[in-house]
Amino acid sequence: MQPRRQQPVTLADRGMAASLCALFVSATLAVLLVGFFCVFRGFGAQMILRIHLVHAWSACVGAATLLGFVTGSEPLPDLLAHFWGTAKPRRLELTLGLWAAVAVVAVVAELASR
């Protein structure tokens, strides 16, 4: 049996992957924001108003969109599964690395917005 030839990644494939990645990361960050409000109540609202949330959110979604465009749709489900911690088999270093990348992008966006 011959190995299956991989199809070249088209521009439409990259565009769809970028769109889906932006959508899923936005939804994930929205759930985290709601959780942050629920846990910290009034203090969380004051803290979020002090930081420039829009800049950090936009930078994280932009970075995710770029990642989706660069990788294409083939590895995207695996990356998102690690991002959410639902991948089987689990690779904790990849999950922590993805979340660390989100934190770094958010901090850089926050510092750049000042």
Side-chain angles (χ1 to χ4, degrees):
M1 185 153 121
Q2 294 180 356
R4 191 175 132 202
R5 283 181 57 189
Q6 289 186 350
Q7 299 290 334
V9 180
T10 64
L11 189 59
D13 183 45
R14 291 182 186 277
M16 182 59 72
S19 300
L20 289 175
C21 199
L23 177 73
F24 292 140
V25 169
S26 293
T28 301
L29 293 175
V31 168
L32 286 176
L33 185 62
V34 168
F36 190 77
F37 273 125
C38 291
V39 170
F40 292 107
R41 308 208 187 251
F43 175 71
Q46 291 174 2
M47 202 162 99
I48 285 178
L49 290 174
R50 286 186 192 145
I51 64 173
H52 299 94
L53 183 66
V54 174
H55 297 292
W57 190 294
S58 301
C60 290
V61 172
T65 303
L66 181 64
L67 177 69
F69 186 81
V70 169
T71 61
S73 63
E74 189 76 23
L76 188 62
D78 187 46
L79 283 175
L80 289 173
H82 284 291
F83 184 67
W84 293 321
T86 59
K88 302 275 190 226
R90 292 184 176 178
R91 290 178 39 205
L92 184 61
E93 65 278 357
L94 182 57
T95 301
L96 292 176
L98 288 170
W99 279 104
V102 168
V104 166
V105 168
V107 167
V108 168
E110 170 64 23
L111 293 175
S113 68
R114 291 184 178 191

